[in-house]
Amino acid sequence: MSARRVTATKIELIKIRRSMQVAKMVHKILDDKREVLLKKIDEMIEEANKAREDIWSPLGEIYTAVYNSYMSLGTATLEAVADSTPNVMEADVNVRRIVDVKIPTLQVKTTEGGSRLSYGFSETNATVDKAAKLIKNMLPSVCKAAEYENAIFSLAKELERTQKLINALEYIIIPQYQDAIYFIKATLEEREREEFVRIKKVKVVLDKRKMTEQQHQENVIAK
């Protein structure tokens, strides 16, 4: 909105002032939202760090157990066991809202019959059992860590969008309203000055005409 394109009237001035008030209110709301987002992101980062710390050591044990399984049974046997083993765990995906941002949450649970081993003992050994147990116990923590990581990413995207809106209000919209208000006020003041000068000139002309008429009447009476 260019200041030179607005109609310099008092009604337009009132409209733009109201629009600027709304823009400032929206800016305040967005600024508060930005602060909440920053706080939530900090909280999520702290939770994510804790979740990562909790899974590093168990993941090391899992890698070791899986490595030992490959070394003792061979790649073909272990992959055949994996392909023939049905899923024993599943994850329910729900959604929660943080500052109006949708955040997926994962709830890992064991399927019916999933607590029992689904492969034959004759084809495997203790290393496979250990790896399977460790992975099963570790999966909820891994999902929770992934949940925090995804929440951080989603909140960061919303923070970026909010900051862009704030910048647009601060550097484009509100300054345009301010320029328009300044232009209208200056134009109205200039019109008032011109009108004052015009009225003053008219008054001078009328006063001269009045004086001329008075002098004429005085001359008539004197004769």
Side-chain angles (χ1 to χ4, degrees), residues 114-129:
S115 58
R116 301 187 301 271
L117 295 176
S118 55
Y119 51 83
F121 289 100
S122 60
E123 300 175 347
T124 62
N125 56 28
T127 59
V128 177
D129 297 343

Side-chain angles (χ1 to χ4, degrees), residues 21-65:
Q21 289 177 349
V22 173
K24 288 183 177 180
M25 288 174 58
V26 173
H27 180 275
K28 178 64 170 61
I29 293 171
L30 291 173
D31 190 54
D32 292 341
K33 181 180 179 179
R34 176 178 59 182
E35 294 301 318
V36 175
L37 283 169
L38 287 170
K39 182 180 179 181
K40 291 297 182 181
I41 289 173
D42 287 340
E43 292 176 358
M44 288 296 172
I45 290 175
E46 185 177 351
E47 293 294 335
N49 289 334
K50 290 179 181 178
R52 283 195 294 265
E53 290 174 0
D54 292 339
I55 66 177
W56 282 129
S57 179
L59 279 177
E61 293 185 46
I62 291 173
Y63 291 144
T64 300

Side-chain angles (χ1 to χ4, degrees), residues 77-128:
T77 301
L78 198 60
E79 290 183 355
V81 171
D83 291 339
S84 63
T85 301
N87 294 330
V88 297
M89 302 189 77
E90 60 184 20
D92 289 336
V93 181
N94 297 307
V95 176
R96 62 170 173 157
R97 288 182 176 271
I98 300 178
V99 199
D100 205 33
V101 180
K102 293 182 179 180
I103 305 296
T105 61
L106 301 174
Q107 185 67 37
V108 180
K109 62 181 180 180
T110 304
T111 60
E112 185 177 354
S115 58
R116 301 187 301 271
L117 295 176
S118 55
Y119 51 83
F121 289 100
S122 60
E123 300 175 347
T124 62
N125 56 28
T127 59
V128 177

